[in-house]
Amino acid sequence: MSQDRPFLGILLMLGFCVLAPLGDAMAKVLGGTVALMGLICVRFGVQAILLTPLVLLRGQSLRPPTGTFPKILLRTCLHIAGVALMFSSLRYLPLADALAIAFVMPFIMLILGHFVLHEVVGPHRIWACAFGFVGTLLVIQPNFAAVGWPALLPLGVAVVFALFMLVTRQIAKSIDAVHLQAISGLQALVILIPLLIAFPNVPGFDLSWPAQTDVILLLILGVLGTIAHLMMTGSLRYAPASTLAPMQYLEIPFGTAIGWLIFKDLPNGLAALGICITISAGLYIILREQRLSQLEASQSEASQ
């Protein structure tokens, strides 16, 4: 078990917000040449290959801690579903649009954190979430009528990852991030490989050997996804989901910048205003949580 350390949790979530859109960009680049299941298998395969030796070198067992197996398996299934929905949406939508539509997730997390985990959600966090959401709308101005049915895919991402993060929060203090991600990567391969064998002719399951350039991008995708979710899992070990929810809005400006650099999708003036609003909401949470942590530390020292 570990005590909450909100500022550390926020810093880890910030790292996730930078690396996750980079991984999504790699998936979008590869989406035209690599089958969907190929992307997903490499994503989790690299995770298992990188982290399993670390767990064994630390003398840990690859068996989940007592009582955590069902939740870890549920988390793995949610992770697979969320990645599949996100990668699918990127085949139809611009990177920034997909992220923007998916950003009903922090509101779902806030509600779940309050009603399921009984976490305290004060007015400052509620206003920060609302403020960040306004910025998100200004960044992308998502139009569900314009994009059609693929717009429903990021909504599915939002629901699935909200549940994913809720489950992660429940088990993150019972198992460290590296151990959890190694087990999850192995579980994902056990689930995915039989599906590939059973449905070789289904669209998205029809694998072929990728080009050399694609192999390099696939490896980068796997490494970025592994490190990003290590940071996310670690953040939930140290801070409540309701504290981290507003921070996730920072994925929007980072995703917009990455989309512009790679896909030449330049935000307009209104989007730039939205980026400023979103960053302001995230920085407000960082500074507030840092101040509260310092206040709690000084009160603890004074009482001793």
Side-chain angles (χ1 to χ4, degrees):
M1 299 290 287
S2 66
Q3 295 181 344
D4 274 0
R5 298 167 61 186
F7 188 57
L8 177 58
I10 286 171
L11 288 178
L12 289 170
M13 182 58 76
L14 179 62
F16 169 79
C17 291
V18 174
L19 295 182
L22 277 173
D24 290 337
M26 293 299 101
K28 183 172 179 61
V29 170
L30 290 164
T33 56
V34 180
L36 176 62
M37 285 297 291
L39 294 176
I40 299 171
C41 285
V42 169
R43 163 66 185 82
F44 288 100
V46 171
Q47 176 175 311
I49 291 170
L50 288 178
L51 300 183
T52 298
L54 291 179
V55 171
L56 297 176
L57 287 172
R58 291 160 59 179
Q60 294 176 309
S61 171
L62 290 174
R63 297 180 61 182
T66 304
T68 63
F69 178 81
K71 289 182 179 179
I72 293 178
L73 181 60
L74 173 60
R75 179 184 181 276
T76 300
C77 292
L78 289 170
H79 198 178
I80 293 171
V83 169
L85 287 168
M86 189 62 186
F87 286 0
S88 296
S89 72
L90 291 172
R91 293 171 181 256
Y92 300 97
L93 303 175
L95 174 62
D97 285 38
L99 287 173
I101 296 170
F103 258 77
V104 295
M105 179 182 66
F107 283 106
I108 298 172
M109 285 179 56
L110 202 69
I111 295 170
L112 291 175
H114 177 66
F115 289 104
V116 179
L117 297 181
H118 307 292
E119 295 175 346
V120 177
V121 180
H124 291 277
R125 290 171 184 165
I126 293 174
W127 279 110
C129 275
F131 196 58
F133 185 63
V134 170
T136 299
L137 293 178
L138 292 175
V139 172
I140 309 300
Q141 313 128 41
N143 190 326
F144 292 94
V147 299
W149 70 266
L152 298 177
L153 293 173
L155 290 177
V157 175
V159 174
V160 168
F161 269 111
L163 294 171
F164 168 82
M165 295 188 73
L166 176 64
V167 175
T168 300
R169 175 63 177 170
Q170 290 181 321
I171 60 178
K173 292 189 178 184
S174 302
I175 179 172
D176 68 84
V178 173
H179 195 186
L180 174 59
Q181 291 295 92
I183 294 172
S184 184
L186 292 172
Q187 286 182 339
L189 291 180
V190 170
I191 294 170
L192 293 170
I193 291 175
L195 290 177
L196 285 173
I197 296 173
F199 304 102
N201 298 319
V202 174
F205 289 68
D206 47 338
L207 302 183
S208 59
W209 189 255
Q212 183 176 356
T213 303
D214 288 346
V215 170
I216 295 172
L217 292 178
L218 282 167
L219 292 176
I220 293 174
L221 167 65
V223 171
L224 287 174
T226 299
I227 297 174
H229 280 271
L230 275 177
M231 288 184 167
M232 186 275 294
T233 303
S235 73
L236 290 168
R237 183 179 178 88
Y238 294 111
S242 54
T243 296
L244 298 172
M247 282 297 304
Q248 295 225 319
Y249 283 112
L250 292 177
E251 275 194 70
I252 296 294
F254 288 128
T256 303
I258 292 166
W260 173 60
L261 289 172
I262 297 178
F263 306 107
K264 306 304 179 184
D265 183 17
L266 182 66
N268 58 27
L270 191 60
L273 174 62
I275 289 174
C276 294
I277 292 174
T278 304
I279 292 175
S280 298
L283 290 176
Y284 173 79
I285 291 297
I286 291 176
L287 295 174
R288 176 171 172 78
E289 290 299 334
Q290 184 180 27
R291 189 173 69 243
L292 290 175
S293 296
Q294 292 172 346
L295 180 61
E296 290 175 1
S298 61
Q299 289 175 344
S300 177
E301 291 177 359
S303 63
Q304 292 178 354

